């Protein structure tokens, strides 16, 4: 039942992609997936495609438990040479990518091949299948399949199909019973098909399956042929077969430039564009702006004394004397010293020009700006901090840190009050639950009065590390706890 179920999922997903505006320029099928590809291309009726899948799955029961397949992470040429040690027992079943070759055949021979590769450090993985597809074992089914599939009536489809049996483009009108036997018996030339698609200008590859088992091999092949920035995506994932996973896959194509019709996702409604919301609190910029800074240095040489220093640098006492009205002979003794000083000044100026510098300029608020409500000024509590010495020690706030916090909070409170706000200083620590309790208590006490309109953190006034941590600043931990506690207590304020 597995192959009919996979067929149903694949053709349904192909129809779903079309409903979302993603229509194939070409189709490729991997092993039995080629039946679904032929149907999607228009080369088979649904009844004929279902017949091929179901009858072939039934026939394979005759050779089940006699063979299997293993995936070897090695190039085709190496694996081909390796399996010659088991003539007639092993075949190249699938070539997925430059380093992905699948061997099919007898169970004993596969076990020996796996043991040999494992001893060399290769990670050989068994394929979850109980028969040797694409091997000599399938030849026993040839006459039965030709009879069962004789009623199939292929036709020329609307979408080009690239065959993984031949590795080339194929008229779907040729997909008769013999072709579907060869599809089961021959090597799956998936890498060759992927290369051909890339060479012919295809850049978007969508795997239509319950889980993207081939996207990695596709990407490896496209990387080997040097295709720049291809788009490779799946449809569903294992344990993720719902609408959310589907829409995520559609979005992966959409954000990478593939046209998508989102109408089905909107329940048939007319899509409309909505402007993204602006940041709710930011009204002005306060970042340092080097492009407007007047402190740029142009080097030590500026007009009008540039000509003078040019003549000094030339060490020509006569020209320099004529320029400034002094006998050149009188300048000759001091000219080397002047020139040497000027050279050092130029070198220092050049080095200075390579440095970054910070320049502070006073800026004002917008004219008439006013604040209202209570504003919390959050400062470090006076207990349980880590000193700047040994990691893990617990001490008290240093006098310098306390003075810094007090100065900042006092100045900030005065500035807020001047703008109409009601400032309230709240000392806090790093415990999230305690912080939330303090905020809740403050909110309860403030009921009936002015609402809380904003919070300003001065927690970075405290230096040192959090107790028990070798690299986590106390202030960082406190700020994170503050943000969490504000969220816990529903403070939707800046």
């Amino acid at each position: 039942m597995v192959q009919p179920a996979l067929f149903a999922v694949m053709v349904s997903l192909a129809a779903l992609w079309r409903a979302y505006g993603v229509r194939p320029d070409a189709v490729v099928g991997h092993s039995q997936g080629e039946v679904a590809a032929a149907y999607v291309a228009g080369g088979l009726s649904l009844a004929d495609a279902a017949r091929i899948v179901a009858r072939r799955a039934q026939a394979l029961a005759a050779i089940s438990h006699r063979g299997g397949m293993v995936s070897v992470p090695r190039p085709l040429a190496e694996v081909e040479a390796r399996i010659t040690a088991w003539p007639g027992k092993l075949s190249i079943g699938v070539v997925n990518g430059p380093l992905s070759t699948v061997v099919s055949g007898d169970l004993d021979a596969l076990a020996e091949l796996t043991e040999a590769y494992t001893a060399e450090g290769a990670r050989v993985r068994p394929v979850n299948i109980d028969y040797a597809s694409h091997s000599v074992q399938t030849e026993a089914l040839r006459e039965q399949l030709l009879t069962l599939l004789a009623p199939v009536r292929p036709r020329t489809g609307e979408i080009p199909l690239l065959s993984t049996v031949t590795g080339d483009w194929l008229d779907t009108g040729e997909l008769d019973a013999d072709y579907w036997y060869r599809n089961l018996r021959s090597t799956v030339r998936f890498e060759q098909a992927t290369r051909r698609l890339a060479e012919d200008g295809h850049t978007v590859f969508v795997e239509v399956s319950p889980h993207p088992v081939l996207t990695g091999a596709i990407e490896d092949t496209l990387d080997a042929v040097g295709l720049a920035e291809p788009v490779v995506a799946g449809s569903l994932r294992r344990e993720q077969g719902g609408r959310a996973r589907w829409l995520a896959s559609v979005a992966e194509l959409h954000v990478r430039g593939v046209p998508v019709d989102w109408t089905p996702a909107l329940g048939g409604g007319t899509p409309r564009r909505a402007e993204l919301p602006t940041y709710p609190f930011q009204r002005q910029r306060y970042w340092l702006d080097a492009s407007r800074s007047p402190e740029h240095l142009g080097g030590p040489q500026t007009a009008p004394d540039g000509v003078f220093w040019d003549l000094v640098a030339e060490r020509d006492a006569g020209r320099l004397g004529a320029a400034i009205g002094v006998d050149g002979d009188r300048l000759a003794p001091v000219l080397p010293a002047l020139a040497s000083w000027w050279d050092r000044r130029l070198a220092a100026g050049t080095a200075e020009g390579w440095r970054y510098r910070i320049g502070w300029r006073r800026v004002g608020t917008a004219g008439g700006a006013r604040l209202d409500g209570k504003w919390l000024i959050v400062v470090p509590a006076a207990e349980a901090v880590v000193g700047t010495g040994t990691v893990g020690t617990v001490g008290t706030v240093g006098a310098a840190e306390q003075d810094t916090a007090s100065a900042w909070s006092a100045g900030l409170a005065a500035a807020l009050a001047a703008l109409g706000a009601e400032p309230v200083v709240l000392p806090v620590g790093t415990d999230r639950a305690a912080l939330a309790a303090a905020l809740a208590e403050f909110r309860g006490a403030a009921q009936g009065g002015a609402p809380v309109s904003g919070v300003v953190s001065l927690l970075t006034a405290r230096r040192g590390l959090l107790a028990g941590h070798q690299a986590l600043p106390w202030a960082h931990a406190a700020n994170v706890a503050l943000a969490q506690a504000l969220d816990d207590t529903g403070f939707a304020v800046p």
Side-chain angles (χ1 to χ4, degrees):
M1 299 304 297
V2 173
Q3 291 197 15
L6 286 173
F7 170 79
V9 171
M10 289 188 284
V11 298
S12 300
L13 285 173
L16 195 56
W17 277 114
R18 287 196 185 197
Y20 278 75
V22 181
R23 295 175 174 81
D25 296 311
V27 290
V28 174
H30 187 284
S31 191
Q32 83 128 18
E34 197 162 47
V35 183
Y39 167 70
V40 171
L44 294 174
S45 67
L46 183 58
D48 277 348
R51 174 191 292 271
I52 296 168
V53 171
R55 295 303 187 202
R56 208 167 71 166
Q58 291 170 344
L60 284 167
I63 62 170
S64 63
H65 307 297
R66 292 170 46 192
M69 306 176 78
V70 296
S71 177
V72 182
R74 292 288 190 270
L76 171 62
E78 176 192 322
V79 180
E80 278 184 322
R82 195 65 170 269
I83 66 174
T84 57
W86 295 272
K89 293 185 176 183
L90 295 181
S91 306
I92 299 297
V94 182
V95 184
N96 282 326
L99 293 175
S100 179
T101 306
V102 177
V103 178
S104 180
D106 292 357
L107 294 176
D108 292 342
L110 286 176
E112 293 173 7
L113 178 71
T114 299
E115 183 180 0
Y117 266 122
T118 302
E120 298 171 8
R123 296 186 61 184
V124 177
R125 295 180 296 103
V127 178
N128 187 20
I129 192 172
D130 65 352
Y131 54 88
S133 185
H134 310 290
S135 79
V136 69
Q137 291 187 14
T138 62
E139 293 178 1
L141 306 176
R142 183 177 184 276
E143 296 305 322
Q144 180 185 4
L145 288 176
L146 292 180
T147 301
L148 290 173
L149 303 183
V152 171
R153 295 293 179 263
R155 59 202 180 196
T156 299
E158 301 85 27
I159 301 172
L161 182 142
L162 187 57
S163 169
T164 50
V165 175
T166 66
D168 206 347
W169 298 104
L170 187 69
D171 183 345
T172 54
E174 302 174 21
L175 304 179
D176 56 8
D178 181 68
Y179 180 86
W180 293 116
Y181 162 71
R182 290 189 290 124
N183 168 272
L184 179 65
R185 171 62 182 93
S186 304
T187 300
V188 179
R189 304 177 185 278
F190 188 72
E191 180 193 16
Q192 184 177 338
T194 304
R195 287 176 177 270
R196 181 61 185 272
L197 287 170
E199 292 167 358
D200 289 355
H202 296 274
T203 58
V204 179
F205 299 78
V206 180
E207 181 174 347
V208 182
S209 64
H211 185 74
V213 296
L214 295 171
T215 53
I218 294 171
E219 290 173 339
D220 290 344
T221 302
L222 298 179
D223 184 60
V225 301
L227 184 62
E229 299 183 2
V231 177
V232 182
S235 299
L236 303 178
R237 299 190 70 86
R238 189 175 294 114
E239 308 298 335
Q240 299 178 33
R243 177 179 172 84
R245 176 62 258 177
W246 164 254
L247 291 179
S249 297
V250 177
E252 287 175 13
L253 291 191
H254 174 72
V255 300
R256 297 174 73 180
V258 179
V260 169
D261 180 4
W262 287 103
T263 304
L266 303 174
T270 302
R272 61 181 180 85
R273 292 188 179 274
E275 294 296 326
L276 290 176
T278 57
Y279 182 67
F281 308 121
Q282 184 167 307
R283 297 292 180 268
Q284 284 182 277
R285 291 179 60 223
Y286 295 99
W287 314 119
L288 298 177
D289 189 351
S291 66
R292 300 175 56 191
S293 174
E295 291 83 11
H296 293 298
L297 295 180
Q301 178 177 332
T302 57
D305 59 357
V307 175
F308 171 80
W309 290 108
D310 285 343
L311 294 174
V312 169
E314 293 175 4
R315 290 173 168 77
D316 189 331
R319 291 184 60 203
L320 178 61
I324 63 175
V326 176
D327 184 1
D329 292 338
R330 300 177 59 186
L331 291 175
V334 299
L335 188 55
L338 280 174
S340 177
W341 177 86
W342 181 242
D343 288 342
R344 294 195 304 273
R345 178 81 186 279
L346 279 178
T350 300
E352 183 68 19
W354 292 338
R355 295 176 181 144
Y356 291 98
R357 59 189 56 78
I358 298 174
W360 293 90
R361 301 194 308 277
R362 182 175 296 277
V363 295
T365 59
R370 300 292 295 171
L371 300 177
D372 56 16
K374 288 184 171 66
W375 277 70
L376 287 181
I377 302 175
V378 183
V379 298
E383 68 278 354
V385 301
V386 178
T388 56
T390 304
V391 173
T393 58
V394 178
T396 58
V397 177
E401 292 178 352
Q402 197 65 56
D403 290 346
T404 299
S406 298
W408 274 96
S409 60
L412 183 58
L416 289 170
L419 291 172
E422 182 181 339
V424 179
V425 177
L426 182 67
V428 303
T430 59
D431 185 85
R432 175 177 177 175
L435 247 167
L439 290 169
E441 181 181 354
F442 171 78
R443 168 173 277 178
Q447 283 186 349
V452 176
S453 299
V455 179
V456 181
S457 170
L458 295 180
L459 296 177
T460 50
R462 175 168 293 174
R463 304 285 180 87
L465 303 174
L466 185 66
H469 294 267
Q470 297 185 1
L472 178 62
W474 182 94
H476 178 78
N479 271 317
V480 171
L482 172 62
Q484 293 171 328
L486 288 169
D487 186 59
D488 293 340
T489 50
F491 274 81
V493 295

